[in-house]
Amino acid sequence: MGRVILCETKPATTSYIFPNTRIEVFSYEELCYYIYNNIALISEEYIGVPMFQWIKNELGLPELSATLMRLKEKQGTDLTDLLTAILTFKEYYSIDEVKDFILKRERIKNLSAPQFAKLKADGFLRYHKYLKALSIYDEILEKNPDLKNVDLLGAIYHNRAVALANNFELESALNSYLRSYELTGSRKSIKEYLLLMATMKDREEVLSIAEFYDAKDMVEDIYYAISDAEQDVLGSPVYHRMEKAIYHYEKNNLTDFSKRLDTVIEMLKTEFRGQME
């Protein structure tokens, strides 16, 4: 869930899974944390009987479940009412934090369609649902060819580039970072552009491009970041399994090589399927 969450209520044996992100929660506290931090990703269709039954049976909170059922059936109840009822049932968040949550919910109602869609796509991006995020960013651009909000447009292109890069569509990602930079002059976008370029070109070429964009001061940090990332890869389970597969290949033990390679491929396929859910 992104941080250590101290749970005072009974944890569930069976999790509740949010359908659009496939994120699982096992406690009242985790449920509150997810709701509080994913305003744009929660729609009223997810706050219904299946969740209420889970709250009653798995969390052992029949009073909260009954309250939510009454609210759901009451005419005039909106999503904010339901979410606030969950957040205020116990004191996981302070009164001021709940007030801030309600204000954010109200602000969302005043967002334009492209702004809200971008916020939703950013939520999927945060959970590494790159294909879902990308499809929403592209839909915004297709439906709003004359979008005048330059800052919004630049942010869409920047985050679209992040999704593309993580889906290994590197040339498209570079173009999207550049488009963001052209719109806003954001040094963050040009740094990400140079970082991605550094994984594809030699250092001299990267230095030349950085000089063109008056960003030579970024180059050293970029190569430090790449070095750190390489260390992370060396410690990853996929890398270790691939290493063992190569070892068996070099020993001409093709049966074990094939089995280990199949395991690596299955891990990668599982990760990809997770994006599609």
Side-chain angles (χ1 to χ4, degrees):
M1 296 295 296
R3 73 172 187 180
V4 175
I5 298 177
L6 298 176
C7 298
E8 296 179 0
T9 55
K10 184 190 82 169
T13 303
T14 303
S15 65
Y16 179 80
I17 303 173
F18 284 90
N20 57 344
T21 58
R22 307 305 298 169
I23 295 297
E24 298 182 74
V25 294
F26 284 88
S27 67
Y28 168 77
E29 290 81 4
E30 287 184 344
L31 176 63
C32 287
Y33 181 81
Y34 183 91
I35 288 170
Y36 194 88
N37 291 281
N38 292 284
I39 290 177
L41 292 179
I42 296 176
S43 61
E44 198 159 344
E45 65 186 296
Y46 303 139
I47 313 299
V49 173
M51 178 187 281
F52 304 160
Q53 290 296 327
W54 177 78
I55 288 171
K56 177 183 176 181
N57 299 326
E58 289 293 329
L59 298 186
L61 299 174
E63 303 95 336
L64 175 57
S65 178
T67 298
L68 292 168
M69 288 289 280
R70 284 195 299 271
L71 279 173
K72 187 80 172 179
E73 293 167 1
K74 185 179 176 182
Q75 192 171 5
T77 297
D78 67 8
L79 180 57
T80 302
D81 297 325
L82 291 165
L83 299 178
T84 303
I86 295 172
L87 294 178
T88 57
F89 184 71
K90 291 184 179 288
E91 296 180 358
Y92 183 67
Y93 284 106
S94 68
I95 292 172
D96 286 342
E97 286 173 319
V98 174
K99 285 180 179 177
D100 184 57
F101 173 83
I102 294 170
L103 283 174
K104 287 177 181 175
R105 286 283 316 159
E106 290 306 308
R107 289 192 198 107
I108 275 183
K109 294 175 184 177
N110 296 322
L111 293 178
S112 67
Q115 286 173 324
F116 179 75
K118 189 257 180 189
L119 197 62
K120 187 176 179 181
D122 292 347
F124 285 123
L125 189 66
R126 189 168 61 250
Y127 284 114
H128 303 166
K129 304 290 184 180
Y130 302 118
L131 295 177
K132 278 190 175 182
L134 184 59
S135 69
I136 297 173
Y137 293 132
D138 285 345
E139 187 177 5
I140 298 170
L141 296 173
E142 287 166 11
K143 287 185 175 180
N144 302 275
D146 299 319
L147 191 62
K148 302 300 183 187
N149 188 330
V150 173
D151 289 337
L152 175 62
L153 199 54
I156 289 169
Y157 273 108
H158 180 94
N159 290 358
R160 178 178 181 271
V162 174
L164 285 164
N166 279 281
N167 200 43
F168 300 103
E169 297 179 61
L170 304 186
E171 289 296 338
S172 295
L174 288 170
N175 292 334
S176 203
Y177 278 131
L178 269 187
R179 181 65 180 134
S180 177
Y181 176 73
E182 289 165 0
L183 286 162
T184 65
S186 167
R187 282 177 62 80
K188 181 181 178 183
S189 291
I190 205 63
K191 185 173 184 178
E192 294 294 330
Y193 172 80
L194 291 170
L195 178 60
L196 187 54
M197 188 66 76
T199 67
M200 303 166 66
K201 308 289 185 181
D202 62 48
R203 190 169 183 136
E204 285 304 311
E205 190 169 350
V206 172
L207 277 167
S208 177
I209 296 167
E211 187 170 14
F212 177 81
Y213 288 107
D214 194 25
K216 283 187 73 175
D217 59 308
M218 297 179 178
V219 173
E220 204 63 37
D221 285 345
I222 284 169
Y223 280 97
Y224 276 128
I226 290 173
S227 179
D228 286 344
E230 286 173 346
Q231 292 304 311
D232 290 341
V233 169
L234 292 177
S236 70
V238 170
Y239 180 85
H240 286 307
R241 289 178 185 272
M242 198 66 206
E243 249 190 344
K244 289 177 181 177
I246 291 169
Y247 170 82
H248 285 286
Y249 180 79
E250 290 173 344
K251 295 292 183 182
N252 206 32
N253 188 350
L254 299 184
T255 301
D256 278 351
F257 165 73
S258 180
K259 287 179 181 177
R260 292 179 186 277
L261 193 60
D262 285 346
T263 302
V264 171
I265 292 169
E266 192 55 43
M267 288 174 73
L268 295 173
K269 284 165 66 177
T270 299
E271 185 178 326
F272 182 77
R273 287 191 203 103
Q275 289 195 46
M276 300 298 289
E277 291 177 342

